[in-house]
Each structure stands twice: as structure tokens, then as C-alpha cells.
Amino acid sequence: MELSVVLMLFVSGVPLWSQQAKTAIPREDYKHWYRLSTTKLSETGEWVGFTKHYDEQEDTLVIQHTRNQKSYSFAAASLNGFISPNEVLIHRDSISERYNLKTGKTYALSDKAQLVEDMPKGWYAYYYKNIKQLLIRGAAKIDSLSIDGVLNYEYAPAARAFLITRQVDSSRVLELISLDGLQKAVPVQDLKGYKLIETSWQESGARLAYTLIPEIEDSPVVAFGKLAVYDLKTQEHRWLPQGLVMEKFKGYQLKLEWQNPLELDIDGSKVVFSYRRQPLLQSDEIPEIWHSTDPYLGPVMRYRMEGANLHRVALWDLVTHEITAVTDERFTEVVCDPQLNYAVVYDPSSYRPSALHKPPVDLYLKNLKTGKIQLLETAYTGHKLDIVFSPQGRYLAYPRKGHVILYDLFEQKDELPVPWIATGQADLETSNLVAWYQDEAAVLLQGKYDLWELKLKSKKLTALTQGRTSGIVHKLIKPSRDWMPKRKDALFVEMSQEYPEGYAVIEPGKEQKLITFGTDYLKWPKVSADSKTLIYSSEAYDRPPALEVFHLGDAKSQRIFQSNSQYQEYELPRQECIHYTNTKGDSLKGILRYPVGYDPDKRYPMVVYVYEKQSHTFNHYTNPGLYPHGGFNSTNLVNRGYFVLHPDITYQSGEPAFSATDCILAGTQKALQQVDAIDPKRLGLIGHSFGGFETGFTITQTDLFATAVAGSGIYDNASFYLYIQDEGDPAYFQYEENQLRIPQNLFLDYQGYLDNSALYHTSTMNTPLLLWSGKDDHHVDFNQTLDFYMGLKRLQKPVTMLLYAGMHHSAYKHFQQIDLCLKVEHWLDHYLKGVPAESWVK
């Protein structure tokens, strides 16, 4: 179905509001505003839990019905999960409560409990960590069990069983408790001298693999630990032979590694496991030795020790008892298929050293039966998580220069089969694989505009949406990251066309159905586990976020909750879009927000906030408050009598600072021409991070602004180019391939780096400037701020600097946020409104 939509994004002039006079939001009322966050959606989508997060009072949990207005509120509580379609478990203080959403009755539990997830219908279980008790309940009265001394637990849905570690007198034991034989605990392992590290279940639930390591690190027991596979039916163990352990793994120990976890194959006959040197090798170089040819910087090189300290992966065949090395000192990264027949391996340092932030790698396909390695892809630039095998291990997929590459591994013999590539479909020139169907008969591909279904046997491609013709991008919304749809499942998609956005649903055998599409800002889409309900948040610049819900079969979505309803008691904000052109002829937009209580016969100060392009945030709502991360809150300022301008900035390659200044001045001049009430003598400029870079430079090029505030900015490009960012990465890539947009390296364009640095234009700066930074900022070194301050101080320029101990790149601690916010607002009030200076301002 083709969708043709003609929408007007920006509406100039005053929005509709009540004729009754309303006031601006006073500072003392900021505390009544809260941020909204959804937490959980029930499996069938009938209930949603969300939290109201306040800055200065206790948060509130709300459980809201999605088909009517029924709701429950719980102060200082959090939602642990849904026990059943109409019951929830909530945490409050040090206890948990079971709450019946139909009757409103509350049952206080004996202690704080954790709800066990993925239990079968009619069953539920709690774990009381404090008292080490596991409680299991079923539909029948006899299906009830309480177990004491439980140190930890794991529920396996496929096996319908719990694996628990239990304290029995002075010993710890590993036990299985099946829901089908609830009253009988089956002993699996005496853990004396060992601790459980990792577990993995066969897909069918028939077998369990687990690893143990010595409880005491310097124990005389073999340091490597033990690996076992346990058969639930026969109750028999298969152990990794200790002879092989002594022969192959001396000096190593089993290791929990999240990227390569312990994993049984589908048949339960093979298992892969991770291990690492124990103890790690340590460098004894005095002094540290750094080489220009090192693939990584010094700290990373010392940790890696040429790969010797990295985790390794091996495969154990339970039938032959053979051990196969999956990774080695060269190929340290791996993605295994579920059948454990193949693995994709690569060397992450093969193209290092490099100025690129993420250099490419060469991918190899390794046959885990024969050990044969074949080159799969040269100079792969995608993410490791984009290399995926199908659920049964038949297919391998990954992106190549925008295309999805798909191999049928069943066709492989001595040579790699010819890969399937989507050709002749312009939309799939930029694509990725977003979901496998559970039956492995098809996959869903995300194109530039559309969602496609590919049938794997016939290679038939079907466009499920028609976005390319309408210019609307359609993207799949998944209930969870690892979700695999069934044929009967509806598919929900997100739609966007620059600023208008919305949602639609595709039911099997039916045309796409539009749910909503418009200029409201939409976010947080969640799909219920049964793929029948969509819930999302919508907002506009003059309306706080609201929760909207759509159920399959409904004609349209409905609003079930409006946050911060008190906003209607105050004068609603007014804003408009301005259009302007920079000196290069680029057409740009900006958001101009009007002061609350605006009177065209009066003159007002204006603050210009800068950071890249901002016009897409036209319908983003901003709560008033004293806790912004960067010291700036536009809603605060318009309620305090300021115009606020958010201009778009576009860039000329190699001239990021001059480009920013050009666009900032063009946007500011356009606002002055368009609205006579803006006082040209009372203009302020403010920015943080890259916006701090833009602010600091702009005020060295013009005296248009009466004052400026720059936070955590870069003011000396030559110095920052050579900085080790975030304690591990060279900052080269920020210039050559990222935000700072100087494609030539420092030594090929040295003058360009200096010319675009505020520090080297210090002598032309006359604007009173407030600089601020966190002293623990490892993203942009706070010495950038200090150096700029020292240069301005040496030339006796008007500058004040705030340095916050313990602050990183932004303010995340409440006391830092409120102090910075109040100081920034006072600075602007002093220079733009003539408010007497506080003692810290000179």
C-alpha cells in the first residue's frame, strides 16, 4: 500500500491555547515535573508498567491497563515483572508485594523477592536472595515447593527445570528440580572445593553443560577447572578428560566470556568453551616501550601481551573426545554456528596500526571438523554482531558494502559456495538482516526504505512495504533483540520521512495498515511478546510525552496516559521555524522559541544554543528543571523571559569552525530580522562538547554576542588530534572520519588545524566568556579548557572558568547539575539582563 502524506511540519504563530491568562513556570514549580520511562509490557499487552522519575521527590511506579483507564500507583516502588496476565510483583523498600490487578488486593511477601522469568503458563516462582529461599508454585495445590539454602538458581524453559546451587550443612551441591517431578531434587554435583562459573543447555533441554573452577585460586587442585556435560534422562556425566586438560591447558583456566559463552550444539554432542591464561602475563618493561608499529596503544598492548592474555575458545567433541582449537594467537575473535560445525574467525589487528577508529578485518570460515580455514571476506568493516548464523546453522549472513551476503553452508564441499547477494533491487543496496523466521525458511531484510522477506530456498524476494516510492523509511520493531517471528506473527514497523514519523502493522496475508503518522515526536516503541500490541510515546514541543497503544484489530491507537498534565495550568510555549541561508548558499532551518508572556512591544534578550543540526527536534518536549547534563535548559530560559534559538549548522570539509560560525551568524541575523522584539545588544551564545568547540571559536570571530558559555569543548585542534581519547583510542578518527571534519591528517594540513582552533584566535576575542569542564573528562581533555583559559587570561580577556572535580564529560551527579545550571543561568542574567553579579562572577 502506497502512502501519500502531505504534512506541514512547522507552524508559525501562536498555538491554540486557552483565553484565560496563564503564567510562566516559576522555578519553585520545576519539582512537579517528571520524566517518563516505560519498563515492562505484559505478554498479551493488556498492562504496561512505567515510572515517573522526579528530580526532587520519590519516583512513582504506575501499572496502567491498555484498554481502559484502570491504573494503580505505587510510591517509591519498582516493577519486577508480571506473575500472570493480571498479577505483578513489585519492590518497595526492603520487601516485595504481589499485587492483583483485577481485585486490587496486595499480598506482602516475607522478604524482597526476584520473580523468575519464562515460567510456563500457570506457574510462577520467586527467589528470596536475603534468606536464600526459592519458592515454586503451580496451578495444582501439589505443585508447590519451598527450598531453603539456595545460593543461586537458573530456570531452563526447554528442560522445565531449575538448576540450583544449594547449601547443605557445610557443603554446597548442584541440584536439578523438574517441574514434572517437583518434590524430588536430583543431585548433580558436589561442589566441594569448586565454584560454578557457567552453564549452557541443549536446545531441547535434554543435556546441560557446566564449568567449575577451584574455589581457592592457589589451590593445589588443577587450576584449569572442570567441564562436564550432564544428561538429564540418564543422570550421567561426561567429563573433559583430565589427561587432555594437563596436556593442552597448562597455565590456563576456564573463563566466563560474554561474547563467546559456553555453548552446547543442537545435538548435545559438542561444546565450545572459553579459557584464559591464569595468572595473566605482566609486562616487566622499565620504562614502558611503545613502538610506532604497535597495532594498539601502550596500555592495550601491555594487556594483550601479543594476544597471549586474550581469552581463547576451544571445542570438545563428546563422541571422539577430540579437542579443537577454535581461536589462536592470531585469530582471536570468533562467531560459532549453533551446530558447531563452522566458525567465522578473524584477527582484529590485521589492519593496525591505523588512523581509523575501527579498522577493517579479514574474515575466514573455519571448518571445525577438519580445521580447514578459507578466506571469506577481505577488509570487512561491519560489526561482529552483524555476522550471524541461522538458528539451525545452515546459513551464514553478514553485510558487505551495504549488501547482505548469504551463504548456504550445506552446499559447501572443498570450496566456498557462491554467495547469494540481492542484486537488481536498488533498495537493498543498503541493507542488513534483521530477523530469521523460526522455521529457518525465510529471513527479513531491512533495505534503505523497505522491509523485505527473502525465502531461502527459492531466493524469492518480496517487499513487505512500499516506502521507496513514497520516500518513507520503514524499519522493523522487534519485541526483543533475539526475537524470531513465526509465520502467524504480525510485523510492526516504524515509519519516518525526515520529520513526520509513525507506525504501521503488517499482518500475514494482509496489506500494511497505518497506525499513526504525523509530526509528533514518537519514541520508545515496544511490541508485546505475542506480537499483538504496540505501545509508544508521543510528544510535541508544547505537550509532554504521552503513552499511546494499538492492539491488533483496533481501528486506531488510543492515548492511555498523559504525563505532566499540570503543563496545561501554565502558558504554553510558542515557537516557529526560521529559514536562512549561509554564505555558501546552503538553505538551513532553525527553531526560534519565544519567551513566555511574549509582548511584541517589548525587547527581549536571546540565547543561541549550538550543536550540529537541531531542527529535527522541533517537536521534542523539554521539562523545566535544574538538573540538565550540560547546564542548559531551553524551557527554563523561555520561562525566564528569553528568546532561544537553535540554528542548524552545515559544514565545509576542512573548515568545521569557520562553517559553524558562518551558520550561527546567519541564523542569528535571520532571527533578528524576523522578530523586532529580539534585542541585538543582548545576545548570548552557549554550547557543550562540540557545541563548546563551536561557541569558543565563534566568539573569536565576532563581537555580536554580549556573552557566551562554552562547556567541555576543544579549543586546540593540534593538541587534541594527538590526544588519547577515553583512555584508549587515538583522537585521529574524530577529525579524519568523524565529527570534526578535517579529512587530512594534522601534518598534511597543519595550518588548517590551527586556523580552526579558538586558541590561536584568542587575541580577537572580546566577549565575556564562561568556560566549564569536568576534571575527570577523558572524552575531551579538560586541559583543552584550561589552555584556552590560560591564553585568554594572559591577554587579559574577560573569562571565568568552572572546573568540577569528579565530573566527566557531562554533569551526571545532582549536586553538579544544579550548581552548573544555576551558575549558567545567573551568568546569562547578569550579562543579558543586568542582574547584579554574584560573588563568583568577576
Side-chain angles (χ1 to χ4, degrees), residues 553-767:
D554 289 355
K556 60 180 181 179
S557 60
Q558 62 172 320
R559 182 166 301 167
I560 60 171
F561 180 78
Q562 173 61 63
S563 74
N564 296 298
S565 58
Q566 74 276 7
Y567 81 96
Q568 298 174 83
E569 299 172 12
Y570 304 92
E571 185 172 332
L572 299 183
R574 171 186 175 180
Q575 68 183 37
E576 62 190 19
C577 180
I578 66 168
H579 298 265
Y580 58 97
T581 304
N582 65 9
T583 60
K584 304 298 181 183
D586 299 317
S587 296
L588 299 168
K589 290 182 286 193
I591 305 167
L592 180 63
R593 305 193 68 188
Y594 280 66
V596 172
Y598 168 67
D599 182 344
D601 295 326
K602 292 183 178 180
R603 303 279 267 180
Y604 297 88
M606 181 172 74
V607 173
V608 182
Y609 177 78
V610 295
Y611 192 94
E612 298 268 359
K613 288 191 174 182
Q614 301 177 80
S615 60
H616 66 280
T617 67
F618 188 89
N619 266 318
H620 291 201
Y621 182 83
T622 303
N623 280 343
L626 299 176
Y627 301 91
H629 292 168
F632 167 81
N633 183 300
S634 60
T635 300
N636 290 5
L637 293 181
V638 296
N639 277 278
R640 292 170 56 77
Y642 289 92
F643 277 91
V644 177
L645 174 65
H646 300 259
D648 278 353
I649 297 171
T650 190
Y651 301 90
Q652 182 181 0
S653 180
E655 300 286 352
F658 289 103
S659 300
T661 296
D662 181 20
C663 297
I664 291 167
L665 292 179
T668 303
Q669 293 292 355
K670 178 63 176 183
L672 291 171
Q673 295 168 13
Q674 192 160 310
V675 183
D676 291 337
I678 302 172
D679 189 342
K681 295 182 179 180
R682 292 191 291 159
L683 303 177
L685 183 63
I686 186 170
H688 168 240
S689 190
F690 193 54
F693 162 83
E694 296 169 329
T695 297
F697 186 85
T698 297
I699 58 173
T700 68
Q701 305 298 303
T702 179
D703 293 332
L704 177 65
F705 298 96
T707 191
V709 180
S712 307
I714 298 165
Y715 309 108
D716 181 358
N717 291 314
S719 173
F720 188 71
Y721 181 88
L722 303 174
Y723 179 58
I724 299 177
Q725 194 174 27
D726 300 318
E727 302 184 286
D729 293 321
Y732 311 149
F733 86 97
Q734 295 284 12
Y735 290 89
E736 296 179 35
E737 56 175 316
N738 205 270
Q739 193 174 32
L740 283 158
R741 299 174 173 90
I742 303 182
Q744 296 282 6
N745 73 56
L746 172 66
F747 307 101
L748 292 177
D749 190 13
Y750 186 69
Q751 193 60 47
Y753 279 76
L754 299 186
D755 289 345
N756 282 270
S757 299
L759 181 62
Y760 302 105
H761 298 274
T762 299
S763 61
T764 58
M765 198 282 278
N766 301 304
T767 304

Side-chain angles (χ1 to χ4, degrees), residues 359-434:
V361 296
D362 293 337
L363 301 182
Y364 292 81
L365 184 67
K366 184 170 186 177
N367 187 316
L368 297 181
K369 291 181 179 179
T370 65
K372 181 180 179 181
I373 294 179
Q374 297 170 274
L375 180 63
L376 187 68
E377 188 72 31
T378 302
Y380 172 73
T381 57
H383 195 280
K384 181 177 181 178
L385 295 177
D386 295 328
I387 304 169
V388 290
F389 288 92
S390 61
Q392 301 299 316
R394 175 170 182 170
Y395 299 96
L396 166 64
Y398 59 86
R400 177 201 289 169
K401 296 179 181 178
H403 290 285
V404 172
I405 306 299
L406 194 68
Y407 283 96
D408 186 341
L409 298 177
F410 282 15
E411 295 179 1
Q412 186 187 0
K413 297 190 183 336
D414 294 329
E415 299 295 331
L416 282 171
V418 176
W420 176 87
I421 307 173
T423 57
Q425 298 288 348
D427 187 59
L428 292 174
E429 290 176 357
T430 302
S431 58
N432 60 295
L433 191 152
V434 289

